[in-house]
Amino acid sequence: GRRMEIRLLEEQQADGAGSGIQFTGVRSLEILQDVRFQLHLDADNLVRREQPADEVASAAFFRPADATDPPVEISCTGPFEFLFAGEGDAESPDYVATFRDNVEVWQFNPNGPSDQMTCKVLSLQFAPLGESAAGASLDTTQRQRQELGRLKPYLLEATGAPVIMVSPARQIDARGSRVRITIPERKIALDGGDVRLTSGRNVLRAPAIFYTHPAAKERTRLGNFLAEGAGSLDFVPNPGEPGEVLRAQWQQSVRLTRDQGKPCLWLDGRPRLAMTGRGELVADEMKIYLEEVAPGDGMALNGDADESTVRPDRLSAIGTVIIQSPQLTGRTHELSAWFRYHSPSAKQDGADS
């Protein structure tokens, strides 16, 4: 960029007859124009994969020029500030980079379109790998010298009207007034305004959405998520039949957790499920137990040999349960249902149940 200003911490006169001025450290660095920033992550994306301990220990903020991880490029039309020394609390931590006005973020994808994010203000907090050699006994100057070469990105927070995150390769689009990504913990939070998370043809809307990406060792594509407040989910169970949409609505929350190791979608607040042309189900509370079908499984909904899929296994509805469908209409206090699937190669006499 252009026009750089560096602010030092409180100056201190040298003792004795020594000449010059000593300072306790750097407070901040600011670039006012034409800001471009390149960040090398120690992972393939912002929500990083699980890494072995020895690999984590060897990672650093400034990577070699031949590093294979895709770099993140950041630009803005307003000022950029790197705060080296905050107030030492959660409200003003050390090592925070802030970009302002028309912020654009790209992460190059060698196999397709790049991931992108646009926002008004972007803050990127860094943390040093490991502990300082002398711990709290180090003064600010010594601590900064030790830590600056060991910084890694820890927390990303973006605000805007709205913040837009797009990953064409993963078919993901996320929007909200605020996005927070805790990188080591693989957590994403979206809130404010019309929060929307789109994955392929599936669309989730709620006032606030929280998602934790699974670790690689968990051997699953499904993480945990919570959507707070009244919202809706449009889900296409079978990508081969995009016209069949399962629409879920709720008044309080929906969460994806695990029950005895299996993923479970828990809807609270008078949820309603409706399937195109197949009727609807309303209850005080619902749990939909899911199963993950491995790639190449002949029972996969889409028959894709390369991608795993998720499908409902059974459903439990309690409270004032109302069901309306071409085959069945009624009321009850509790309903349990199991889903059966036919192999794509099998002859089908009618719709799956």
Side-chain angles (χ1 to χ4, degrees):
R2 295 190 298 134
R3 295 185 58 193
M4 181 174 69
E5 296 180 3
I6 298 176
R7 297 180 177 86
L8 306 178
L9 292 172
E10 183 178 355
E11 296 179 349
Q12 196 174 49
Q13 296 294 331
D15 295 333
S19 60
I21 298 176
Q22 293 183 344
F23 57 90
T24 58
V26 179
R27 177 167 180 78
S28 65
L29 178 151
E30 188 172 10
I31 298 176
L32 302 178
Q33 295 178 353
D34 301 334
V35 176
R36 295 189 68 86
F37 185 89
Q38 186 177 87
L39 172 67
H40 287 277
L41 298 174
D42 55 351
D44 292 335
N45 46 60
L46 288 177
V47 182
R48 42 180 256 172
R49 60 182 170 83
E50 191 73 9
Q51 292 176 285
D54 56 346
E55 184 179 341
V56 173
S58 65
F61 169 36
F62 292 106
R63 301 294 301 276
D66 61 351
T68 57
D69 294 335
V72 174
E73 301 274 354
I74 306 174
S75 67
C76 63
T77 59
F80 159 80
E81 180 185 45
F82 192 95
L83 184 63
F84 290 85
E87 299 299 327
D89 54 29
E91 297 297 324
S92 180
D94 296 344
Y95 308 126
V96 178
T98 303
F99 305 81
R100 299 183 184 277
D101 301 330
N102 302 311
V103 182
E104 295 185 350
V105 183
W106 305 271
Q107 186 168 34
F108 175 69
N109 178 8
N111 300 315
S114 300
D115 295 347
Q116 300 179 34
M117 179 172 69
T118 58
C119 60
K120 182 174 178 58
V121 178
L122 174 68
S123 294
L124 189 57
Q125 181 179 338
F126 295 84
L129 280 169
E131 297 292 334
S132 299
S137 63
L138 293 176
D139 61 29
T140 303
T141 303
Q142 293 173 318
R143 181 171 60 83
Q144 287 187 354
R145 285 175 178 172
Q146 283 200 11
E147 294 178 345
L148 285 177
R150 299 185 291 110
L151 295 181
K152 67 172 183 178
Y154 173 76
L155 175 67
L156 181 150
E157 181 169 347
T159 57
V163 179
I164 301 175
M165 297 178 63
V166 180
S167 178
R170 300 177 181 88
Q171 295 186 307
I172 293 176
D173 183 308
R175 298 167 186 251
S177 296
R178 183 176 68 160
V179 174
R180 287 172 58 90
I181 301 177
T182 308
I183 298 171
E185 299 171 7
R186 305 170 299 278
K187 293 182 177 180
I188 303 177
L190 300 93
D191 59 25
D194 180 19
V195 177
R196 184 174 70 207
L197 179 61
T198 303
S199 177
R201 296 184 176 91
N202 309 314
V203 182
L204 172 66
R205 292 176 181 267
I209 299 173
F210 307 90
Y211 179 76
T212 302
H213 194 277
K217 64 182 180 182
E218 295 179 9
R219 300 180 181 275
T220 177
R221 295 179 61 196
L222 287 179
N224 295 329
F225 88 83
L226 167 66
E228 291 185 335
S232 66
L233 169 65
D234 290 329
F235 177 66
V236 179
N238 185 356
E241 299 182 8
E244 291 194 356
V245 179
L246 173 64
R247 182 171 179 80
Q249 295 174 291
W250 58 89
Q251 299 303 315
Q252 292 185 15
S253 66
V254 60
R255 67 181 68 230
L256 180 64
T257 58
R258 291 195 172 263
D259 187 348
Q260 298 181 353
K262 289 189 175 183
C264 175
L265 195 62
W266 183 2
L267 299 91
D268 195 16
R270 201 60 186 164
R272 173 182 176 270
L273 293 181
M275 187 74 173
T276 306
R278 300 193 183 184
E280 67 177 27
L281 175 68
V282 183
D284 292 340
E285 178 184 303
M286 293 185 200
K287 289 185 178 180
I288 304 174
Y289 296 87
L290 308 173
E291 64 176 348
E292 296 176 87
V293 182
D297 192 312
M299 296 298 290
L301 289 177
N302 57 8
D304 196 321
D306 299 320
E307 292 291 336
S308 60
T309 186
V310 179
R311 66 188 184 189
D313 179 52
R314 63 187 177 95
L315 178 146
S316 174
I318 61 174
T320 305
V321 181
I322 302 173
I323 183 170
Q324 294 180 334
S325 73
Q327 294 81 21
L328 178 65
T329 298
R331 287 172 173 264
T332 184
H333 293 291
E334 184 174 350
L335 173 69
S336 296
W338 285 258
F339 297 84
R340 293 183 303 169
Y341 300 91
H342 299 286
S343 171
S345 60
K347 294 182 179 180
Q348 300 192 24
D349 297 327
D352 292 347
S353 59

